[in-house]
């Protein structure tokens, strides 16, 4: 038996000491990187330019062949497996979208199903279903050509195309990078809703820490030379940055960003259950974010929040306690 590390039961992607040394380059682009991504997890790779994010992503579907190390998908070592069948199980979305201009939207989406031998009528139905899924009206868009769509719409079609063969894994390289900030935020939110229903294993590259915090179940922060500086949930990273590099990278807004990730229930956990009641409290759900709770308190002029309520089991927290607890970086770990 080999004593090399093996993926755990719930791992969908497992990188074992993977390196990439491009020919002619003095330094490796990615060096001895190991990471495990669980089934159904949305992991975001983030870090400064040139730290090896895209190289790492492309080694997963072997668009870039690793120089050393092993790659496992769903428990199987695919380091030397047939590339075509590997890629059939992996959707790939890039910033430049790459829709074919002479094909209709339906035909663009159905490219892979066609390659796999799906019948014309079934392909059409699949394209319509996917357009619906990504929030585009099939009746309007199915017969259009890429240039008749806005940037944001084209990006949605790119996502639909990547989903066409229903791959368990999706790789996305700056998928929302080419659209303006408002469309970008809308696409991010839509994508989160979509992911809640399809639960793919997703690895996404971005250089935007806010996008990473908003989307990722876990975030891998790469330092120079592909050093994995921290790989954890957004809340844990904001609460306990691993080192000065991570602290600098997430920037000065961490305490405020945490408010949008922290739940009222997280904060309540650090108080005794018999806090005095408040005469003027606003009712808030325990699953609400602290950010939203603060908004409600400030807008209503209440003294604090009341959580629960049924059967006289309400718990109360005044504004000051809410703020103090929300500002405690080490108390809360998801
Ligand atoms: N095809 C290539 N040939 C030679 N060197 C390359 C190639 N692709 C990337 N590199 C180098 O490898 C390093 C990592 O590049 P990579 O694109 O993976 O980084 P990145 O973190 O995705 O950067 P960015 O955020 O700027 O896209 C860089 O120094 C880059 O110049």
């Amino acid at each position: 038996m080999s004593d090399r590390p093996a993926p755990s039961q719930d791992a969908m992607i497992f990188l074992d000491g993977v390196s990439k040394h491009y020919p002619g380059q003095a330094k490796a682009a990615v060096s001895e990187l190991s990471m495990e991504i669980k089934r159904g997890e949305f992991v975001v790779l983030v870090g400064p330019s040139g730290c090896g994010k895209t190289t790492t992503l492309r080694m997963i579907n072997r668009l870039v062949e690793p120089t050393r190390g092993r790659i496992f998908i769903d428990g199987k070592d695919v380091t030397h497996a047939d590339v075509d069948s590997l890629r059939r199980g992996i959707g790939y979305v890039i910033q430049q979208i790459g829709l074919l201009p002479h094909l209709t939207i339906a035909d663009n989406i159905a490219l892979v199903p066609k390659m796999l031998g799906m019948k014309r009528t079934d392909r059409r139905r699949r394209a319509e279903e996917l357009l619906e899924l990504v929030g585009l009206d099939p009746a309007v868009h199915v017969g259009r050509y890429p240039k008749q769509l806005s940037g944001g719409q084209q990006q949605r079609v790119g996502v639909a195309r990547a989903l066409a063969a229903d791959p368990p894994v999706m790789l996305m390289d700056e998928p929302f990078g080419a659209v303006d900030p408002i469309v970008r935020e809308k696409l991010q939110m839509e994508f989160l809703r979509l992911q809640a229903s399809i639960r793919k294993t997703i690895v996404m590259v971005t250089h935007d820490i806010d996008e990473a915090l908003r989307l990722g179940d876990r975030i891998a922060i790469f330092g120079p030379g592909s050093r994995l500086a921290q790989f954890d949930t957004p809340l844990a990273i904001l609460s306990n940055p691993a080192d000065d590099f991570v602290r600098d990278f997430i920037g000065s807004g961490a305490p405020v960003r945490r408010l949008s990730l922290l739940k009222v229930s997280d904060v309540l956990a650090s108080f005794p259950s018999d806090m005095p009641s408040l005469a003027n409290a606003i009712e808030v759900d325990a699953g609400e974010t602290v950010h939203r709770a603060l908004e409600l308190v400030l807008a209503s002029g209440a003294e604090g929040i009341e959580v629960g309520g049924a059967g006289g089991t309400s718990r109360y927290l005044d504004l000051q306690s809410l703020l103090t607890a929300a500002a405690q970086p080490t108390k809360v770990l998801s």
Side-chain angles (χ1 to χ4, degrees):
M1 284 291 284
S2 146
D3 57 359
R4 297 177 79 174
S8 67
Q9 279 276 309
D10 53 353
M12 179 56 103
I13 300 168
F14 179 64
L15 304 180
D16 172 28
V18 169
S19 301
K20 178 65 190 181
H21 205 142
Y22 290 107
Q25 300 294 305
K27 279 195 184 157
V30 173
S31 184
E32 297 285 325
L33 176 69
S34 294
M35 63 193 298
E36 182 170 286
I37 295 166
K38 311 221 175 300
R39 203 166 278 119
E41 195 174 31
F42 191 159
V43 165
V44 183
L45 313 183
V46 71
S49 183
C51 64
K53 304 179 294 292
T54 293
T55 300
T56 300
L57 191 80
R58 290 172 156 220
M59 283 196 284
I60 297 172
N61 64 0
R62 298 209 359 246
L63 276 172
V64 169
E65 291 287 0
T67 318
R68 263 200 318 276
R70 299 180 306 162
I71 300 161
F72 289 75
I73 305 281
D74 204 8
K76 277 212 304 282
D77 186 343
V78 296
T79 322
H80 306 289
D82 174 59
V83 158
D84 290 336
S85 59
L86 172 70
R87 289 190 196 144
R88 245 173 260 140
I90 304 181
Y92 185 49
V93 183
I94 51 172
Q95 185 184 104
Q96 301 79 6
I97 311 167
L99 299 179
L100 299 174
H102 58 286
L103 293 184
T104 63
I105 298 306
D107 287 343
N108 264 289
I109 293 174
L111 271 181
V112 176
K114 187 176 180 188
M115 264 164 43
L116 297 176
M118 192 188 272
K119 287 210 299 274
R120 189 171 180 77
T121 47
D122 292 341
R123 292 203 305 266
R124 175 79 176 209
R125 196 173 323 116
R126 181 82 183 126
E128 289 178 356
E129 214 174 82
L130 286 161
L131 279 172
E132 196 108 44
L133 197 65
V134 298
L136 292 174
D137 183 354
V140 176
H141 293 98
V142 89
R144 287 195 169 175
Y145 288 87
K147 67 171 188 306
Q148 298 173 299
L149 268 57
S150 72
Q153 289 168 335
Q154 290 190 30
Q155 204 58 49
R156 289 190 190 110
V157 173
V159 171
R161 185 182 53 183
L163 287 169
D166 201 17
V169 174
M170 295 262 284
L171 306 180
M172 308 174 82
D173 198 345
E174 295 270 3
F176 312 120
V179 289
D180 68 68
I182 295 171
V183 176
R184 184 182 175 113
E185 205 171 316
K186 190 157 176 271
L187 284 176
Q188 289 169 353
M189 289 306 135
E190 280 178 12
F191 193 76
L192 270 187
R193 270 198 299 279
L194 178 64
Q195 167 64 354
S197 67
I198 58 178
R199 286 318 293 176
K200 300 284 180 196
T201 305
I202 300 174
V203 188
M204 184 179 111
V205 166
T206 181
H207 62 267
D208 177 350
I209 183 68
D210 284 309
E211 179 164 275
L213 291 168
R214 204 172 287 147
L215 297 183
D217 295 320
R218 283 195 296 161
I219 301 175
I221 301 188
F222 282 51
S226 80
R227 178 180 77 91
L228 197 48
Q230 193 164 5
F231 185 23
D232 214 329
T233 63
L235 188 55
I237 287 174
L238 289 177
S239 304
N240 293 305
D243 56 22
D244 286 343
F245 171 80
V246 174
R247 203 167 289 116
D248 284 351
F249 190 74
I250 57 184
S252 58
V256 175
R257 287 178 175 136
R258 283 180 75 245
L259 299 179
S260 303
L261 295 167
L262 212 51
K263 297 277 191 311
V264 168
S265 54
D266 297 326
V267 170
L268 275 178
S270 53
F271 286 94
S273 55
D274 56 352
M275 292 284 281
S277 61
L278 301 170
N280 175 20
I282 184 141
E283 233 179 282
V284 170
D285 198 89
E288 204 56 87
T289 65
V290 172
H291 186 273
R292 179 69 187 141
L294 285 170
E295 245 175 25
L296 291 169
V297 171
L298 295 176
S300 63
E303 288 171 80
I305 57 169
E306 175 181 354
V307 185
T313 55
S314 282
R315 296 186 60 184
Y316 296 87
L317 217 50
D318 62 79
L319 177 58
Q320 190 54 51
S321 306
L322 189 60
L323 281 174
T324 309
Q328 304 271 321
T330 49
K331 281 227 168 124
V332 183
L333 279 177
S334 60

